[in-house]
Amino acid sequence: MPASNQSFFENVLRYFDHAAALTGLPKGLLDQIKYCNSIYHFKFPLRNPDGSVEVISAWRVEHSHHKLPVKGGIRFSPDANEDEVMALAALMTYKCAIVDVPFGGAKGAVQIDAGKYTAEQMERVTRRYTHELVKKNCIGPGIDVPAPDYGTGEREMAWIADTYMAINTGHLDALACVTGKPVTQGGIRGRREATGRGVFYALREACAQKDDMKALGLTSGLEGKRVAIQGLGNVGYHAAKFCREGGATVVAIAEREGAILNTRGLNEDQVLQHKKETGSILNSPGATNLPGSNDVLESECDVLIPAALENQITAENAPRIKAKIVLEAANGPTTPEGEAILQEKGVFVIPDIYANAGGVTVSYFEWLKNLSHVRFGRMGKRYQETMENRMLRAIEIATGKQFSESDRSAIVRGADELDLVNSGLEETMAVAYHEMRDTQLRNPKIKDLRTSAFLNAIEKIARAYMELGIFP
Ligand code: GLU
């Protein structure tokens, strides 16, 4: 893995400072926005099956309370550390602001290699982690709402919800204490694939801009674009799926064990199936192996999607990157030094704080669903169908022609939960893209989308503080 000589949080501060310098906002207000409001580091014991006990380190960082609750995932990783959680919490704040999700930013982590423990132990760790958050008032529907991140998923979110509800019996809104839950436990349809789907919408929006694509020497539209993806976890897998279904060709995929290439296109389901059977993506049928996971970053492609961890594109490897577009599905995959080189090379970077915001956007929808205690679409679906049928009937009477059954069923369809979630996500990603791009086009000093994304976020957060009357 290419090393970065700066800490992840320092990198985020650099990105922040670069954009903040364009705002003209007072230093006190900018400082209030940029630093983490609270950092909670705690430890708890875990008993192993052989009777030995080890002490586990864990964190919850709340970066900004300008809006409540604060929101952000929980990472289970042996490499988790305080600096990383701080950086990720800060990115959550900006991400929420960019897509107008009315939350402050937070992040949590447990320093553990989940693969080395039994499911029972992981359940104990997750429930204990939740108890520690409850003790310090760091979880609750109106306080701080965790979600999945690297190393966690629906299973852990269900344990968190269950633990919280056991402590808060009778609290009507208790289910809204965490998002990313299984649908049967108060989750929402479409959350699992939301980040990857959002990444796809981001790319589709960028590729639809004829002038931008022309400047990069690319045709507009997704059709035929060669995509390389680092990481086939939940985000990478779904990004690959939606991009392929949208007409792109996935020419390279990397996992920890190495990377595979196929210029005619890879199918993420087949690659994942191969990994399930053999324990590795290497030697997937029809593909060529590359020795290192990071080789994928330098592969021949039009669009590079880092969908793994931070600090992947650095000053060391950026000169060799061939992609014209870097679409940051991971949080913090590019260091400021790496980014400077990409910029010199004319690479179009779609920044993480926008590109991967689909996850938290649909988390917001889940939270709303939990608070309203009703599934989206339940009240309106049938009514919409009735109205559409009436409209068709009126057209039939006016024209004297009959719609066929297949035409009728293609036209008459009330929106269900998944339709509404996906449409809300699509709208959110499209609007935020143009907000970010327009800011850049309006300001000749801004050379990249990251700066305009940060600038928009900082200005929105600053406005919230001013409206609260905290700053003049
Ligand atoms: N962990 C995800 C992220 O980094 C999702 C956070 C959320 O849904 O609250 O954006």
Side-chain angles (χ1 to χ4, degrees):
M1 189 182 290
S4 165
N5 45 8
Q6 253 178 326
S7 90
F8 187 10
F9 187 58
E10 280 166 353
N11 286 345
V12 176
L13 292 184
R14 274 178 68 184
Y15 285 136
F16 178 96
D17 288 340
H18 184 66
L22 303 168
T23 62
L25 290 166
K27 182 177 180 308
L29 176 51
L30 290 172
D31 282 351
Q32 172 57 34
I33 297 171
K34 79 191 238 192
Y35 296 114
C36 296
N37 284 4
S38 81
I39 300 167
Y40 178 33
H41 178 199
F42 50 101
K43 290 175 189 264
F44 53 83
L46 173 66
R47 192 187 297 277
N48 287 313
D50 66 2
S52 65
V53 171
E54 59 186 302
V55 176
I56 306 289
S57 240
W59 293 265
R60 186 72 183 169
V61 171
E62 294 179 353
H63 173 260
S64 176
H65 294 115
H66 71 288
K67 281 190 197 285
L68 287 173
V70 292
K71 187 90 190 73
I74 298 172
R75 182 169 283 204
F76 283 1
S77 154
D79 301 321
N81 61 72
E82 192 159 304
D83 179 85
E84 181 188 55
V85 192
M86 287 163 65
L88 294 167
L91 292 176
M92 283 309 304
T93 296
Y94 308 125
K95 193 184 300 189
C96 290
I98 286 162
V99 286
D100 289 327
V101 163
F103 298 144
K107 204 80 173 196
V110 180
Q111 195 183 65
I112 196 165
D113 187 347
K116 293 205 175 125
Y117 296 84
T118 63
E120 262 169 34
Q121 283 180 300
M122 289 318 297
E123 179 173 352
R124 281 214 304 280
V125 165
T126 310
R127 290 187 185 277
R128 177 63 186 260
Y129 180 85
T130 311
H131 266 282
E132 296 293 334
L133 296 189
V134 170
K135 276 203 297 202
K136 291 284 191 234
N137 214 16
C138 284
I139 184 168
I143 300 168
D144 186 340
V145 182
D149 197 76
Y150 183 86
T152 58
E154 290 171 21
R155 181 182 73 159
E156 288 73 18
M157 301 309 115
W159 289 331
I160 292 172
D162 187 56
T163 309
Y164 183 85
M165 289 196 301
I167 300 167
N168 294 281
T169 30
H171 283 207
L172 208 51
D173 292 334
L175 259 183
C177 72
V178 64
T179 60
K181 302 178 289 292
V183 174
T184 52
Q185 308 290 320
I188 195 165
R189 287 161 188 83
R191 174 61 184 87
R192 191 184 297 166
E193 58 269 36
T195 312
R197 187 182 274 279
V199 167
F200 158 70
Y201 287 144
L203 183 61
R204 204 187 57 185
E205 210 55 42
C207 290
Q209 313 311 311
K210 280 202 184 84
D211 292 346
D212 291 343
M213 290 304 110
K214 207 167 150 206
L216 293 170
L218 295 172
T219 53
S220 54
L222 218 63
E223 199 60 44
K225 292 263 178 327
R226 297 166 307 157
V227 174
I229 301 188
Q230 183 195 37
L232 204 59
N234 182 42
V235 178
Y237 167 80
H238 284 107
K241 183 175 218 54
F242 293 119
C243 287
R244 181 181 56 73
E245 288 172 359
T249 308
V250 178
V251 292
I253 292 178
E255 273 278 75
R256 222 171 309 178
E257 60 271 15
I260 51 170
L261 297 184
N262 188 345
T263 49
R264 283 181 320 232
L266 293 161
N267 177 300
E268 68 295 332
D269 280 317
Q270 284 164 9
V271 174
L272 212 57
Q273 185 58 31
H274 178 79
K275 179 157 177 152
K276 271 191 195 130
E277 284 161 15
T278 67
S280 162
I281 61 165
L282 295 175
N283 305 315
S284 284
T288 313
N289 294 337
L290 286 179
S293 164
N294 282 97
D295 293 342
V296 78
L297 302 172
E298 301 166 27
S299 60
E300 281 290 348
C301 62
D302 302 310
V303 182
L304 173 62
I305 308 184
L309 288 168
E310 58 267 19
N311 294 342
Q312 300 299 301
I313 301 174
T314 65
E316 195 278 317
N317 60 10
R320 297 188 299 278
I321 282 177
K322 300 182 188 72
K324 302 262 175 61
I325 299 173
V326 170
L327 175 58
E328 296 185 335
N331 288 309
T334 312
T335 66
E337 297 82 3
E339 165 128 280
I341 294 169
L342 293 184
Q343 233 179 71
E344 263 168 46
K345 284 160 59 107
V347 177
F348 191 76
V349 178
I350 307 176
D352 53 358
I353 48 174
Y354 161 71
N356 69 33
V360 76
T361 300
V362 177
S363 275
Y364 169 46
F365 300 157
E366 180 176 333
W367 181 78
L368 291 173
K369 174 188 183 181
N370 295 151
L371 294 182
S372 61
H373 301 271
V374 64
R375 186 181 69 240
F376 287 105
R378 179 168 177 181
M379 306 298 282
K381 184 173 188 294
R382 187 63 66 105
Y383 184 76
Q384 187 185 342
E385 286 170 2
T386 306
M387 295 313 282
E388 285 165 355
N389 264 319
R390 272 193 212 164
M391 185 69 79
L392 292 194
R393 188 75 203 113
I395 295 170
E396 283 175 339
I397 292 167
T399 60
K401 286 188 189 144
Q402 287 274 117
F403 285 98
S404 69
E405 258 327 294
S406 64
D407 278 350
R408 182 175 289 277
S409 58
I411 297 167
V412 178
R413 208 171 86 81
D416 62 17
E417 181 170 83
L418 188 59
D419 295 323
L420 293 168
V421 163
N422 289 342
S423 128
L425 174 60
E426 186 172 3
E427 168 73 5
T428 302
M429 294 306 291
V431 168
Y433 185 85
H434 290 287
E435 227 174 76
M436 183 174 68
R437 184 76 180 110
D438 290 352
T439 297
Q440 187 191 358
L441 293 174
R442 267 200 316 272
N443 193 332
K445 280 193 196 146
I446 301 180
K447 303 272 178 279
D448 58 303
L449 284 183
R450 194 187 315 278
T451 304
S452 56
F454 265 96
L455 181 61
N456 285 350
I458 294 168
E459 282 177 345
K460 286 182 191 179
I461 300 161
R463 260 199 307 278
Y465 274 118
M466 288 174 194
E467 278 155 16
L468 281 173
I470 298 177
F471 289 88

